[in-house]
Amino acid sequence: MSRIGKKPVPLPQGVSASISGQSVEVKGPKGTRSFHATDDVTLTLEDGSVKVTPRGTSKRARQQWGMVRSQVENLVTGVTVGFKKELEIQGVGYRAAMAGNVLKLSLGYSHDVNFEVPDGVTVATPKQTEITVEGIDQQLVGQVAANIREWRKPEPYKGKGIRYKGEFVFRKEGKKK
């Protein structure tokens, strides 16, 4: 029995959900998100919460049970609080700046990197060495942050590069003389 799946997803004040077949649409103060569940689970709306139950006892139905419940909870979290990823840039001369809808990154290459910010995500640079990615879609926020980090991953010798805030970078010792 899924410990995650058996808990109903509560809908906070100001959030409404509508279920039609296998689709769930959640509306909240930050926007609207929807999710289409597989046929292995049943979605019901009961007294201010969304309940997910498996159809049958097959392994796939039990796998989808907890996963669909987590997806619905992420929809609710996204439209109420939103999701946020913070990145930090370390290295001499490495910096970031927003210019309209383009993130300009100076990362030690012979040219500046221009990163187009997709719709549904807002990117801010509170300092030259900090990048904040925010949005209501957890997957999109994480993917955009990973794409930005991909331009210059932190290297193990000096630690230069783009890293998530609080990320530990394993450091190596240089060559022995």
Side-chain angles (χ1 to χ4, degrees):
M1 184 147 200
S2 174
R3 292 175 186 211
I4 295 170
K6 66 183 175 184
K7 294 179 189 171
V9 180
L11 298 174
Q13 194 72 30
V15 176
S16 63
S18 61
I19 298 172
S20 60
Q22 292 300 101
S23 294
V24 162
E25 188 174 301
V26 181
K27 291 181 182 148
K30 290 203 172 219
T32 304
R33 297 268 302 123
S34 62
F35 172 71
H36 186 76
T38 60
D39 291 329
D40 298 312
V41 294
T42 307
L43 299 162
T44 53
L45 196 58
E46 295 175 1
D47 51 82
S49 63
V50 178
K51 193 167 172 78
V52 181
T53 52
R55 289 183 183 169
T57 57
S58 67
K59 185 174 182 178
R60 178 165 166 77
R62 287 181 285 126
Q63 288 170 341
Q64 295 295 314
W65 184 17
M67 195 271 303
V68 168
R69 192 257 179 213
S70 295
Q71 292 281 354
V72 172
E73 186 177 37
N74 287 338
L75 295 182
V76 173
T77 305
V79 298
T80 53
V81 181
F83 293 100
K84 180 179 186 179
K85 284 271 188 185
E86 293 178 332
L87 300 160
E88 4 180 84
I89 302 173
Q90 288 189 356
V92 177
Y94 289 12
R95 62 181 56 93
M98 282 300 293
N101 199 31
V102 176
L103 177 67
K104 291 190 178 288
L105 299 166
S106 300
L107 299 172
Y109 294 120
S110 61
H111 60 283
D112 284 354
V113 175
N114 294 328
F115 183 81
E116 280 284 331
V117 179
D119 294 337
V121 172
T122 57
V123 176
T125 51
K127 293 183 192 169
Q128 285 186 335
T129 58
E130 289 182 6
I131 303 169
T132 306
V133 182
E134 292 180 281
I136 63 171
D137 186 354
Q138 185 181 28
Q139 193 275 329
L140 187 61
V141 168
Q143 188 62 53
V144 169
N147 290 347
I148 293 170
R149 183 180 180 270
E150 191 73 28
W151 281 103
R152 183 72 89 177
K153 288 184 180 174
E155 53 96 22
Y157 296 101
K158 290 186 178 177
K160 299 190 321 182
I162 303 174
R163 63 178 76 183
Y164 296 112
K165 193 168 209 146
E167 177 184 2
F168 174 75
V169 176
F170 181 75
R171 301 297 287 272
K172 291 182 179 178
E173 196 176 322
K175 279 198 233 176
K176 301 263 196 297
K177 286 191 176 184

